[in-house]
């Protein structure tokens, strides 16, 4: 099909082959070559070569291709992070008493809670989430648990902002347990702040058994507070911390919310705003976590970097001289009718 100039049909055949056999090294390698040649998508191609080598480390074609693409992709990732740093520095240059910045921070707080609980299945709208946080009055037709998820995340974020954000010492086991205690405190106060004592299953991922959790958490904290980890770019550091914690899955419930809060704590300590992972991107979020489970964590790091840039764009747009309102992530743009987060890219 490709030789006949029918690249669209060729792409569909590759997608079909990949769906039928997602770990077949020949399919992954040829699919990568096709994307690199016809779509100029070196990043995705490199990801496929890496996955091929994960399943067949001695695959000659994938080895040769990966040797060529690895440095190119690393440079692209480095350039992406450099752009993000520039936007962070631009945001940090805005005075704290700027009224638009204060307004943006308040709105972003509501959006962060709305999207974070929404990823887990909470059905509250942004307006309902704001109402619960501002009035503490129940929303008719919504469950007690949905209200408590919002209040728990609010409590955890306030705890982070008031106790952990400006503290200079290492992050401890107790800090993570205290975050989780607040995340789950309103929903399940018995499990909140305690490691699970049973085996759990998360889609295709089987987390470590309960007897392994304490040792794995100690290893995780040793890495988290190490010089090697803290020397990474803040976005990479925060994304890896998120992935490592959610991979251990130390709690019965609230692992994703706790991991995202830890990620944002690390980002805020580096001068970034709390990153919003939009609820309508949850399928990408879980897809990239699965890719990390299969051996390539870079797509997840890139995804978090993209979410970081979108959040920075939201702040910078809201504080520009042309802006008079703070629009929600994912809200239709008044001019284009398309997703606001896409207009900001």
């Amino acid at each position: 099909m490709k030789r006949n100039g029918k690249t669209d049909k060729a792409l569909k055949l590759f997608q079909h082959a990949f769906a039928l056999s997602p770990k077949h090294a020949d399919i992954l390698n040829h699919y990568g070559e096709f994307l690199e040649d016809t779509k100029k998508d070196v990043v995705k191609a490199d990801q496929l070569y890496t996955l091929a080598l994960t399943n067949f480390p001695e695959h000659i074609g994938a080895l040769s291709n990966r040797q060529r693409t690895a440095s190119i992709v690393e440079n692209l990732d480095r350039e992406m992070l450099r752009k993000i740093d520039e936007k962070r520095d631009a945001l940090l240059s805005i005075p704290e008493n700027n009224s638009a910045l204060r307004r943006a921070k308040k709105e972003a707080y509501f959006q962060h809670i709305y999207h974070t609980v929404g990823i887990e299945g909470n059905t509250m709208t942004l307006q309902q989430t704001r109402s619960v946080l501002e009035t503490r009055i129940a929303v008719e037709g919504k469950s007690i648990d949905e209200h408590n998820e919002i209040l728990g995340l609010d409590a955890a974020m306030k705890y982070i902002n008031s106790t952990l954000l400006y503290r200079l010492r290492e992050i401890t086991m107790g800090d993570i347990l205290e975050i989780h205690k607040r995340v789950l405190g309103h929903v399940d106060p018995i499990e909140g702040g305690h490691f699970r004592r049973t085996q759990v299953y998360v889609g295709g991922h089987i987390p470590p058994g309960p007897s392994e959790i304490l040792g794995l958490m100690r290893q995780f904290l040793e890495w988290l507070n190490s010089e090697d980890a803290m020397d990474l770019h803040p976005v990479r550091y925060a994304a890896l911390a998120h992935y490592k914690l959610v991979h251990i899955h130390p709690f019965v419930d609230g692992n994703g919310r706790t991991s995202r809060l830890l990620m944002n704590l690390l980002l805020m300590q580096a001068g970034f705003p709390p990153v919003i992972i939009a609820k309508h991107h949850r399928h990408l979020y879980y897809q990239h976590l699965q890719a990390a489970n299969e051996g390539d964590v870079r797509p997840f790091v890139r995804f978090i970097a993209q979410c970081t840039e979108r959040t920075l764009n939201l702040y910078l747009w809201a504080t520009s001289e042309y802006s008079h309102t703070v629009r929600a992530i994912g809200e239709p743009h008044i001019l284009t009718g398309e997703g606001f987060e896409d207009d900001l890219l």
Side-chain angles (χ1 to χ4, degrees), residues 36 42 45-46 49 64-74:
E36 197 176 352
V42 181
D46 180 77
Y49 302 146
S64 175
N65 286 326
R66 180 90 216 292
Q67 287 175 353
R68 186 186 68 261
T69 59
S71 60
I72 298 172
V73 170
E74 179 60 29

Side-chain angles (χ1 to χ4, degrees), residues 188-214:
D188 191 346
I190 294 176
E191 293 293 344
H194 298 285
F195 294 137
R196 59 181 165 86
R197 296 171 292 280
T198 58
Q199 182 63 55
V200 294
Y201 302 90
V202 189
H205 172 55
I206 302 177
S211 62
E212 301 175 71
I213 289 173
L214 187 57

Side-chain angles (χ1 to χ4, degrees), residues 55 93 107 188 285 294:
N55 294 291
S93 70
E107 177 61 28
D188 191 346
Y285 173 63
E294 292 173 356

Side-chain angles (χ1 to χ4, degrees), residues 222-240:
E222 183 178 348
W223 171 84
L224 188 68
N225 295 303
S226 69
E227 287 187 15
D228 286 345
M230 290 186 283
D231 282 345
L232 295 169
H233 186 280
V235 172
R236 281 181 171 164
Y237 176 42
L240 287 173

Side-chain angles (χ1 to χ4, degrees), residues 220-260:
F220 168 67
L221 287 164
E222 183 178 348
W223 171 84
L224 188 68
N225 295 303
S226 69
E227 287 187 15
D228 286 345
M230 290 186 283
D231 282 345
L232 295 169
H233 186 280
V235 172
R236 281 181 171 164
Y237 176 42
L240 287 173
H242 175 314
Y243 170 68
K244 287 175 180 288
L245 182 57
V246 85
H247 184 77
I248 297 170
H249 221 78
F251 307 109
V252 168
D253 189 21
N255 293 278
R257 281 164 282 171
T258 302
S259 297
R260 292 192 290 277

Side-chain angles (χ1 to χ4, degrees), residues 288-316:
H288 294 314
L289 282 172
Q290 180 59 34
N293 287 339
E294 292 173 356
D296 191 359
V297 75
R298 297 172 305 160
F300 181 69
V301 174
R302 289 186 200 110
F303 174 74
I304 296 302
Q306 290 162 0
C307 294
T308 303
E309 186 169 14
R310 287 191 186 100
T311 304
L312 286 165
N313 288 340
L314 172 70
Y315 275 87
L316 293 171

